[in-house]
Structures are given as C-alpha cells and as structure tokens.
Amino acid sequence: MTARAIADAVRVGERSARSVVDEHLAAIEAREPELHAFNLVMGDSARATADAVDAAVARGEDPGPLAGVPVALKDNLCTRGVPTTCSSRILEGWEPPYTATVVQRVLDAGGIPIGKTNLDEFAMGSSTENSAFGATRNPHDPSRVPGGSSGGSAAAVAAGFAPLALGSDTGGSIRQPAALCGVVGVKPTYGRVSRYGLIAFASSLDQIGPFAGTVDDAALLLETIWGHDPLDSTSIGSPPAPLGDVPDVSGLRIGIVEELTDVDGIQPEVRAAVERAAAGLESAGAHVERVKVPSCVYGLSAYYLIAPAEASSNLARYDGVRYGLRVDGADVAEMNAKTRAAGFGAEVKRRIMLGTYALSAGYYDAYYGQAQKVRTVIIRDFARAYESFDVLLSPTAPTTAFELGAKTEDPLAMYLSDVCTIPTNLAGHAAITVPFGTGAFDLPVGVQVLAPALGEPDMFRVARAIEGLAP
Amino acid sequence: MSARLSRTDVEHVANLARLALSGDEVERFGEQLTVILEHAQDVAALDLEGIPPTAHPLPLVNVLRPDEVRPTLDREEVLAQAPAAEDGRFRVPRILGEAP
C-alpha cells in the first residue's frame, strides 16, 4: 500500500493509524534481526502518535497529508529526547534538546516517526558498514550491502518497514543506497529542504531528502518537508513550485551524460538500463541525445578534498565538552585527543585526517583551493548542458549491490561507488533515482535523472515516466 | 608536489586534528592517505588560473533574521547531556597553567 493510499484511508477514517503502525512494527519484528536497518525502533512513541492521529480523525479534524504514515528517520536527524547517534560511539546515548525542521514537518503532517535508521558513521561511507553498531544488510540479498550512507533508510523502505524514509545526501548517500535497494531516492536542490537539526557532515553539500517505494510517494514526502525555514540561513526563500502528477515527457529535451555513463567499472546491465530508459522516453515523445559534461570526471577527486575538509571543521565540535563521550586526560588538549580517538571510527578519522591535511599550511592551494575551482568548472559545464537540455540522465551507481566486506579494506574503491552521484552535490543541483529492473545477480538497478537548481518539477515528470517504463 | 605522507606528516596532522592515533593507525593512514592523494593529483595538476573558487552553491550572502528576543534551548536540558557540568556551566579539565 502506498503512503498516499494509507494517508487517504486514515484521513477519512477507513483505516486507523494504529493498525497501520502495528502492521509495520510486525514487519520490523519479523525481519529486523536479520537486516539491522534501525539503530532504534520507536515502537511505543509510534503507537502513541498513531493514537493521537486517530483521535484527531474521530474529532473530525484532518491530521494532514501524511496521516498515519510511518516514516523512518536517518539517525543523524535530531528529535528532541530521542537518542540520535549518527552511528557513532561519540554520540552514543545523546538525546538532542531540539527537533529537526524536517521531523517537525513530518509530525505536523500527521506522519509517524517509527525509528532511527542506521548509517555509515556521520554519513561517511557508501555501504553502511562504517556503523559503530554493526552493518545493515540489503533486503534483496542479506549477504550484500544496502549502499550508504543512508543504507538503513533505504533498507527500511525496501523491506516494508516503512512506506517512507528520510535520509541525507552529501555525495550520493540517498541515491546510491536507494538504487542498490530498488527504491526511489531524491536529492533535492541545495537549500530547498531545511538542514536545521541535521547533524552536519559537509555543510555546502549536505541535503535532506526522501526515500519511497514510488515516485509519487517521494513527491508526497518532499512536498511535506521542503520550503523556507528561518532556522537555516542557507534555506531558499522562494516558495517551491508544485511537483504535479503527470508523467508527460513530450517535447522535453533529455541528455545522457557520457562521462557518468562510460565510467570505469560500470556493469553492462547498468549501462543497458540507462539506454533502455532513454529509448522509452524517446518513444514517449522526449528528445534524447548524448551530452558531454567534461569536468564531471574530476568530481570524485574534488569531492574527496572538499567534503573531508568541511567535515574536519564540522567534527571539531566533538571535543568531549558539551555532549557525548569524554575520555579524561591530564589537560584539555589530551582530553580532546583521547575522546576523539576513542569515539570516532576508522573512516571518520581517515576523513578528518584527509581534510585537515588538505586545509593545512602549504597544501591549501594545491588541494582544497584547486577543488573549489573545479567546483566552479563543473557548475559552468552543467550550465552549458542545461542550455540544450531540460534534464540529464545517467546511472545512479556503476554497479548493483556488492558483498559485505568487498571494499572495506580499500577506501578508494569504496569512494568510486559515488562517482555518478557526486557532481550533483558539487553543483547544488537536484537528482532522483528510479528503480529500473535488475542487473548483475538479479539485483536492483537505478536510473538517475539530474536537474538544474529548482528543476524538480521536470525531474519528477521524467521520473514518473521512467517508473512507468521500468521492466 | 609529492603526495607521499611520512610518519612525521601524519603525526603532525593528527595533532592539528586532536586525534590520539595509535602507532598502527599512523602507519595505515599514511599509506591510505597517500593513495587517496595520488588519485587527487588529477585535480591538483589542472591549470585553473583565473577560475574563481566556489565555496557554496547558493548566491546567498549575509542572510539575517529579525533581531527579536526569542526562547532558546533550555539550559538544564542542554547541560544534562554534557559529560560534566557544574553551577550551570560545562566543566572541563584545567586550562590555565598549560605550557607554554
């Protein structure tokens, strides 16, 4: 049952929110021990919230567009009084004193937070194996990863634990796991969704977005959470244009990005899915051509300088003073260093080291400064492409889900799984992944639709069309 | 530009980042960061003379809100999450008297 169908039924009293929640909690109980999608299942509070929704309906009130719909929340989204860990020992047991804007908007729309989902520690990773609390497994094949970093949210939707989930996407952390788990994932335009209450990783790249089983449900959740928020100074002020509900692509100009489709190591089935989707769009009346966005090939290198640099600064706040873990030392500096050594996992330390190095005296211009200039070039190249095309098309990830442990000893190989998603974050643009059949080992494949800043309406039209064409 | 990180480089960066690394970690991070920085040479080697840097994708500057008195986080609730607190403040180890 889609989220929209659940909300429609709950709003008119055909179904109780409580029965919806109980059904999903039963699904969680049955398969969560095997998959570990959640750091915390919020059973009691979900039931209480559902009862409040049902009481509102009984009083003749409308609880809102997400009435009674369970929503899984990535465990880097703050909810007042609910443990929020970022899957890190350094925040274990921390209860935020405030609630993220997106979580508040879900609650205000009648939605029901059902749990906090597992992630790569501080959202740094592409497999959800970098969690201090154990890896999440892919519902399609539990010997494989769900992708990452929002692997818990992707797995929760794919396993039927919740019809909707929220994640965050800094270099592909919504889209890549959505593709690997066979669900829809959206990275909205930078600034479109408030980051207030999202624990920061790389502030100029981070963006919150929805996971859903269908494009329409993803639109429902995005329209609930987006829009200006005075609590986030990078929030866009103009009101969002409605996403509409038609899959009509006639007359749209769609470009297949060569540099993101001909990447090294791409599986032939993944490339074939993009070509098949493109052919279908052409039959549906779109104008499809290949297009070059040359600087995309430098996206990965630029990202792995910029994101760690911003992370090394953002994560300086975990110093054992105001929240989370403290390991005692003879003086403050020793306390800081011992706390951070004990609290952070290997990947987080690696990125803090990389970022600190890229920002340090003597290397700033060569690494961080160069990467920032590459970012400008990528933005210019996309602008040129969008003069001739309304949206762009590419694979979401070069491969289907890989086995647990396959890339944990080789950080660079892991980073390469983000190669198709990173340019969108560097440019601050929007992108969506839509499941499109299966590839290697009969595992889900995702096709990515990219759009310029604020291009979500066209992007969703194409995504709806691709969903209708999917095998 | 050489991207090979020596043990001294790694220890220097770890100190800047306030990370007490073990001997094994210094070794391993040295090797791994070298590999990652070698990959980044494609960016470091580009001629980007005259291209302005992008720090942020939005053209927003000096975003201000009305200067109104509003409730903020509850002090007791915040301090309840601290590793150590005393008299309404965060408690930390001795700072004054450190060398040099």
Side-chain angles (χ1 to χ4, degrees):
Chain A
M1 202 169 180
T2 65
R4 206 182 281 279
I6 290 171
D8 287 348
V10 169
R11 287 167 106 170
V12 298
E14 263 170 35
R15 272 205 77 172
S16 70
R18 180 60 185 266
S19 73
V20 173
V21 164
D22 283 340
E23 193 179 290
H24 285 89
L25 288 173
I28 292 169
E29 197 176 342
R31 238 192 137 191
E32 171 64 6
E34 174 194 17
L35 299 179
H36 187 220
F38 290 102
N39 285 339
L40 176 73
V41 178
M42 297 160 61
D44 291 343
S45 77
R47 287 191 193 93
T49 310
D51 290 345
V53 167
D54 288 332
V57 173
R59 286 194 302 271
E61 296 164 15
D62 180 4
L66 294 185
V69 179
V71 182
L73 306 172
K74 188 176 184 180
D75 201 16
N76 60 356
L77 296 169
C78 291
T79 308
R80 190 175 182 179
V82 178
T84 299
T85 68
C86 281
S87 289
S88 180
R89 294 278 174 216
I90 213 158
L91 277 178
E92 196 171 9
W94 179 62
E95 295 182 2
Y98 62 100
T99 295
T101 296
V102 290
V103 176
Q104 193 58 52
R105 289 186 181 181
V106 163
L107 287 166
D108 292 346
I112 299 176
I114 199 159
K116 304 297 295 288
T117 59
N118 198 14
L119 61 149
D120 286 297
E121 186 177 359
F122 284 102
M124 297 178 190
S126 310
S127 68
T128 316
E129 290 169 290
N130 298 330
S131 165
F133 310 122
T136 296
R137 289 166 182 272
N138 192 312
H140 295 274
D141 176 352
S143 73
R144 293 174 187 272
V145 302
S149 67
S150 313
S153 288
V157 171
F161 295 168
L164 300 174
L166 288 174
S168 60
D169 190 313
T170 306
S173 280
I174 290 173
R175 291 161 286 158
Q176 184 258 16
L180 269 50
C181 288
V183 299
V184 176
V186 186
K187 186 277 186 206
T189 300
Y190 183 83
R192 213 10 137 192
V193 177
S194 169
R195 292 183 293 113
Y196 179 75
L198 167 68
I199 296 176
F201 160 16
S203 303
S204 81
L205 303 163
D206 296 342
Q207 186 66 183
I208 297 169
F211 287 88
T214 65
V215 174
D216 185 60
D217 273 358
L220 173 68
L221 182 53
L222 181 54
E223 288 187 326
T224 302
I225 59 170
W226 71 0
H228 183 249
D229 178 15
L231 298 175
D232 174 359
S233 65
T234 59
S235 168
I236 294 172
S238 63
L243 292 172
D245 56 8
V246 287
D248 178 22
V249 295
S250 55
L252 276 184
R253 301 163 304 164
I254 301 173
I256 304 173
V257 183
E258 286 187 11
E259 291 78 4
L260 301 183
T261 306
D262 300 333
V263 292
D264 283 346
I266 190 165
Q267 289 171 344
E269 298 91 337
V270 172
R271 191 202 308 255
V274 175
E275 281 160 6
R276 197 165 161 189
L281 291 167
E282 194 151 35
S283 306
H287 173 73
V288 183
E289 259 182 78
R290 287 171 75 86
V291 59
K292 288 191 197 304
V293 187
S295 55
C296 275
V297 299
Y298 300 113
L300 188 82
S301 290
Y303 175 85
Y304 278 99
L305 295 169
I306 291 170
E310 293 190 20
S312 71
S313 170
N314 270 325
L315 271 62
R317 74 191 62 184
Y318 303 102
D319 55 5
V321 173
R322 287 151 299 170
Y323 30 68
L325 184 71
R326 172 185 291 185
V327 177
D328 288 327
D331 55 27
V332 168
E334 191 182 303
M335 182 273 282
N336 295 156
K338 283 184 164 181
T339 297
R340 292 161 63 79
F344 291 138
E347 181 62 22
V348 174
K349 288 179 187 171
R350 192 152 45 231
R351 297 218 196 172
I352 290 174
M353 293 287 292
L354 182 58
T356 305
Y357 180 80
L359 290 174
S360 64
Y363 300 101
Y364 184 99
D365 290 338
Y367 290 113
Y368 184 65
Q370 276 297 95
Q372 285 190 308
K373 290 179 179 179
V374 168
R375 198 170 179 183
T376 306
V377 177
I378 288 173
I379 290 169
R380 289 178 179 177
D381 279 359
F382 270 122
R384 202 166 299 122
Y386 285 124
E387 283 171 10
S388 309
F389 297 95
D390 299 298
V391 302
L392 303 174
L393 214 60
S394 84
T396 307
T399 71
T400 54
F402 42 93
E403 290 185 326
L404 268 88
K407 300 184 181 183
T408 42
E409 295 307 312
D410 185 352
L412 190 58
M414 185 72 89
Y415 297 172
L416 282 164
S417 40
D418 297 332
V419 69
C420 301
T421 47
I422 278 172
T424 295
N425 299 79
L426 291 171
H429 292 168
I432 185 171
T433 179
V434 183
F436 200 84
T438 53
F441 309 103
D442 214 23
L443 291 161
V445 170
V447 169
Q448 181 175 228
V449 184
L450 304 86
L454 308 184
E456 279 90 351
D458 278 348
M459 185 178 92
F460 269 83
R461 280 166 72 193
V462 174
R464 285 176 193 272
I466 291 175
E467 186 175 50
L469 293 163
Chain B
M1 155 128 359
S2 165
R4 185 153 294 280
L5 266 75
S6 70
R7 225 189 142 77
T8 317
D9 291 334
V10 176
E11 283 166 351
H12 170 65
V13 174
N15 182 49
L16 290 176
R18 293 286 185 272
L19 281 170
L21 298 185
S22 68
D24 281 357
E25 283 177 318
V26 170
E27 197 71 30
R28 195 165 63 247
F29 288 151
E31 288 166 17
Q32 290 174 338
L33 295 182
T34 298
V35 171
I36 296 164
L37 289 168
E38 269 167 16
H39 188 268
Q41 288 306 311
D42 61 348
V43 159
L46 289 174
D47 178 8
L48 299 170
E49 191 67 34
I51 306 278
T54 296
H56 207 271
L58 285 181
L60 294 170
V61 284
N62 296 343
V63 177
L64 302 174
R65 59 166 171 76
D67 187 16
E68 289 162 0
V69 178
R70 294 185 312 153
T72 58
L73 300 180
D74 179 74
R75 183 195 289 198
E76 293 311 312
E77 195 177 349
V78 170
L79 288 174
Q81 296 296 319
E86 192 177 310
D87 295 337
R89 300 182 182 89
F90 297 111
R91 185 182 164 85
V92 293
R94 188 170 54 87
I95 295 170
L96 296 177
E98 277 177 22

